[in-house]
Amino acid sequence: MEEVRVFPLTCAVQNYAWGKVGLSSEVAKLLVGGDPLAVIDDGKPYAELWMGAHPKGDAEIKDNRISQRTLGEWITHNPASLGSKVKDTFQGQLPFLFKVLSVNTALSIQAHPNRELAAKLHAQFPEHYPDNNHKPEMAIALTRFQGLCGFRPVEEILGFMTFVPEFRALVGNAAAEELQCSVGDAVRVGGALKKCFTRMMNCEKKMFVDKLNMLVKRITEEAAAGHETSSSHGELLLRLHSQYPGDIGCFSIYFLNHMVLEPGEAMFLGANEPHAYLSGDCMECMACSDNTVRAGLTPKYIDVNTLCEMLNYSPAPASAKIFPSAPDPSDPFVTLYDPHIPDFTVMKIQVPAAVKQYTVAPLDCAGILLVIEGDATATSAAAHSDIALCRGTVLFVSANESVSLHVESQAGMTMYRACCLL
Ligand SMILES: [Zn+2]
């Protein structure tokens, strides 16, 4: 029998409390699409779908003629499937974890260390930093997706210091004035911003809880009186406070850009970039690591010193934080999201309605393909038999294998593919 190198996966679901509940979750909808027998509990959050070989959520192989049960076990027995460059560069491991996220309430504000800092933190505090790898991440919106990313332009932060005295009080006048005086001097701005953020993060709990309660009361009263509260970012502040009352992270919205991504728009979270996911559904791809340094909106451990030291304090507008996608020169139906890191690239494949035969091109690396919309019959020299593709199907495609699709849906197909182009 031919060796099977293309096969469907049943992927792990994570029911974290912040996830969208029941069938309002894209994760739950994809689960039902991929497996009509899947039972969705209306009261349960469906936060993440993990498409990869991570030990905490290794995908199961949906082909009982293959002797290994999971993708991770199969790759261990078939490392050549990764492609020779990936196999050598990443020690025989799939370098990325591909996910779908459905976010109902905010995830913690965080940043991820670069490789050098990750190795140092892991050596010093293995209980908080479980491995020595970096963790760049990319989020691509499936529905309107909100997040926080990177420090705002200084003029915006100074504006909030004027309109939100409760915020200015946490930063303190000396640091606020230093920031004011640094405007226009790129070298001084970073240092002044670091001082302001560090002051706020080191405030005593009683102080910031009092200021937050004052701010919430003021905005609530202003809104009740019919006044505009956008100069205090009132709507977002009240929303985060309702999710994380008394949390210092509520004030971080005055430092960080509020991102609103439309479907297909992306943000890339490189090393040391402060970020948070607030709401919506997205594709996410990341290097395999769990190293996260948190800054608020969380009941978990916050390592304030490490966080304040490591962050990228280069202010930039929200528009500069949208990651530019690019058309693939070799395929008119593919859009590339290709960050400048070796670990992963994401492709969005949109087959138009008029096209009925489409080939998922061979690459010299392994990849994972998720069908978001559309139906097709897939054939491959490396599959046992035809594979029916529909919304929610996840395929593992080994290096150098192609997959031919006979598209059956009237409206074309939308798929996302994660791979590693070295
Ligand atoms: Zn992150």
Side-chain angles (χ1 to χ4, degrees):
M1 193 173 3
E2 278 288 307
E3 199 193 356
V4 180
R5 288 159 53 79
V6 171
F7 45 81
L9 299 172
T10 298
C11 294
V13 173
Q14 307 288 1
N15 301 99
Y16 304 136
W18 50 259
K20 289 191 184 178
V21 174
L23 280 170
S24 69
S25 162
E26 180 69 10
V27 169
K29 289 182 211 169
L30 289 166
L31 270 183
V32 174
D35 175 9
L37 298 178
V39 176
I40 301 300
D41 180 339
D42 324 324
K44 211 164 155 185
Y46 291 81
E48 298 193 354
L49 185 69
W50 285 24
M51 300 174 283
H54 193 286
K56 288 185 193 162
D58 196 0
E60 287 179 29
I61 295 172
K62 224 172 164 176
D63 187 330
N64 55 21
R65 291 162 293 192
I66 293 175
S67 55
Q68 288 82 23
R69 197 181 60 84
T70 69
L71 181 61
E73 290 167 21
W74 188 85
I75 290 174
T76 302
H77 284 86
N78 299 276
S81 66
L82 295 171
S84 56
K85 278 194 269 180
V86 171
K87 182 181 95 161
D88 293 346
T89 307
F90 297 99
Q91 294 81 43
Q93 310 276 324
L94 191 65
F96 55 81
L97 178 58
F98 199 26
K99 295 181 179 178
V100 179
L101 266 62
S102 289
V103 181
N104 183 37
T105 55
L107 283 71
S108 57
I109 300 165
Q110 53 187 247
H112 306 293
N114 59 24
R115 277 207 197 84
E116 192 190 355
L117 178 60
K120 195 177 127 203
L121 290 171
H122 176 59
Q124 286 180 325
F125 312 106
E127 69 280 23
H128 295 307
Y129 304 103
D131 58 74
N132 59 13
N133 200 10
H134 68 164
K135 194 193 181 202
E137 298 170 326
M138 164 97 80
I140 307 169
L142 290 172
T143 57
R144 178 176 278 205
F145 189 78
Q146 295 193 40
L148 303 174
C149 181
F151 281 91
R152 294 172 178 274
V154 171
E155 296 72 16
E156 290 182 24
I157 298 170
L158 289 170
F160 287 124
M161 285 184 183
T162 303
F163 292 111
V164 189
E166 300 85 350
F167 167 55
R168 187 184 173 99
L170 299 185
V171 170
N173 277 328
E177 277 160 24
E178 195 174 324
L179 185 63
Q180 176 85 58
C181 295
S182 75
V183 171
D185 182 340
V187 182
R188 285 174 64 203
V189 159
L193 201 47
K194 180 177 179 181
K195 188 178 276 186
C196 289
F197 186 75
T198 304
R199 285 277 158 84
M200 184 186 88
M201 290 304 295
N202 280 295
C203 272
E204 281 186 25
K205 179 154 179 144
K206 182 177 179 329
M207 164 96 167
F208 71 69
V209 171
D210 282 354
K211 295 292 173 196
L212 185 55
N213 287 338
M214 285 166 64
L215 177 59
V216 167
K217 182 165 179 282
R218 179 169 68 77
I219 292 174
T220 306
E221 286 168 2
E222 284 173 10
H227 296 146
E228 179 60 40
T229 64
S230 59
S231 61
S232 311
H233 227 316
E235 185 274 329
L236 183 58
L237 191 280
L238 293 184
R239 176 158 39 114
L240 293 181
H241 181 261
S242 72
Q243 297 173 4
Y244 294 91
D247 190 301
I248 185 68
C250 296
F251 283 105
S252 68
I253 61 173
Y254 302 124
F255 276 118
L256 305 179
N257 285 300
H258 179 212
M259 309 292 295
V260 182
L261 304 180
E262 297 302 331
E265 287 186 331
M267 57 183 179
F268 173 65
L269 297 324
N272 304 326
E273 187 81 288
H275 62 276
Y277 296 158
L278 302 180
S279 66
D281 307 278
C282 73
M283 299 300 308
E284 190 185 40
C285 201
M286 60 179 61
C288 271
S289 165
D290 281 327
N291 287 320
T292 299
V293 185
R294 294 182 178 82
L297 303 184
T298 179
K300 291 185 189 166
Y301 172 74
I302 300 184
D303 181 349
V304 173
N305 291 334
T306 300
L307 179 88
C308 293
E309 278 308 311
M310 73 189 274
L311 291 182
N312 166 20
Y313 290 98
S314 312
S319 57
K321 295 293 171 184
I322 293 185
F323 184 83
S325 59
D328 182 344
S330 61
D331 186 331
F333 306 144
V334 172
T335 305
L336 290 172
Y337 300 82
D338 189 11
H340 295 287
I341 44 127
D343 310 72
F344 62 81
T345 297
V346 178
M347 299 174 169
K348 181 182 189 184
I349 307 173
Q350 281 180 294
V351 183
V355 174
K356 295 300 169 198
Q357 297 291 337
Y358 177 76
T359 301
V360 177
L363 300 171
D364 72 350
C365 59
I368 289 182
L369 182 79
L370 166 69
V371 179
I372 293 286
E373 211 60 79
D375 300 289
T377 301
T379 52
S380 171
H384 260 307
S385 49
D386 289 1
I387 303 169
L389 301 190
C390 62
R391 173 164 163 75
T393 304
V394 182
L395 276 192
F396 177 78
V397 182
S398 293
N400 307 309
E401 301 297 347
S402 67
V403 182
S404 303
L405 305 188
H406 176 71
V407 179
E408 282 133 17
S409 44
Q410 295 304 309
M413 290 192 84
T414 302
M415 296 169 279
Y416 279 92
R417 180 185 197 180
C419 58
C420 179
L421 304 173
L422 290 175

